[in-house]
Amino acid sequence: RLLYAHDRLYFDPIAIADLYTKMSTLELTAKDLSVMASTLANGGVNPVTGDRVVDPLTCQHTLAVMTTSGLYETSGEWLFDVGVPGKSGVAGGMIAAAPGKGGLAAFAPPLDAAGNSVRGQLVIKYLSEELGLNVFASAAAAGARPASGA
């Protein structure tokens, strides 16, 4: 409210907080989460409708924030182990988006000590590995020689 009163927010903070609460804890489904994740992976274009719903730069910034802090204090470990931007929610929902590849979602309380879905992390990690979604993993070029042990 303080930022809004000083013209630093250009939307009603109460309405946004209400919408956030509903979307993150009350009315969101696993299908909704999967469309959100896939939209982010698709550069802001909803894969179901084909409509652009997020500006490309906003999508890029959202993925960057998810990468650095989407799983709270375990974000670094998540990125190291799974290799995709992710975001967890306090109700047990979780998304991951591999840009240009696809999005994953899970809804599975309970949460770990950091506030992330325990089962959601496991299933998204498994699927990321099986589907090759890790943005840091790359296949060797054809004919490449193995790295030396030196």
Side-chain angles (χ1 to χ4, degrees):
R1 303 279 275 145
L2 182 63
L3 291 171
Y4 185 67
H6 285 71
D7 295 324
R8 296 295 177 239
L9 291 179
Y10 307 103
F11 49 81
D12 178 10
I14 301 301
I16 295 300
D18 183 57
L19 177 63
Y20 173 80
T21 301
K22 287 178 182 175
M23 292 303 295
S24 68
T25 61
L26 301 175
E27 298 177 2
L28 200 61
T29 67
K31 182 178 178 182
D32 295 332
L33 289 170
S34 69
V35 172
M36 288 177 190
S38 297
T39 298
L40 290 170
N42 199 26
V45 176
N46 181 311
V48 176
T49 66
D51 295 335
R52 172 163 298 287
V53 295
V54 178
D55 174 83
L57 186 60
T58 301
C59 185
Q60 178 182 336
H61 291 169
T62 301
L63 289 169
V65 171
M66 287 170 57
T67 300
T68 59
S69 58
L71 273 76
Y72 313 108
E73 65 265 23
T74 63
S75 296
E77 293 170 43
W78 171 261
L79 195 60
F80 187 86
D81 292 340
V82 183
V84 292
K87 178 67 185 107
S88 65
V90 297
M94 191 169 174
I95 65 169
K101 295 181 178 180
L104 300 170
F107 178 78
L111 309 179
D112 64 13
N116 304 310
S117 168
V118 174
R119 291 185 210 118
Q121 289 177 82
L122 293 172
V123 74
I124 289 175
K125 180 179 181 190
Y126 174 80
L127 289 171
S128 176
E129 290 170 357
E130 290 296 309
L131 298 172
L133 298 181
N134 187 324
V135 298
F136 301 112
S138 56
R145 292 186 301 259
S148 67

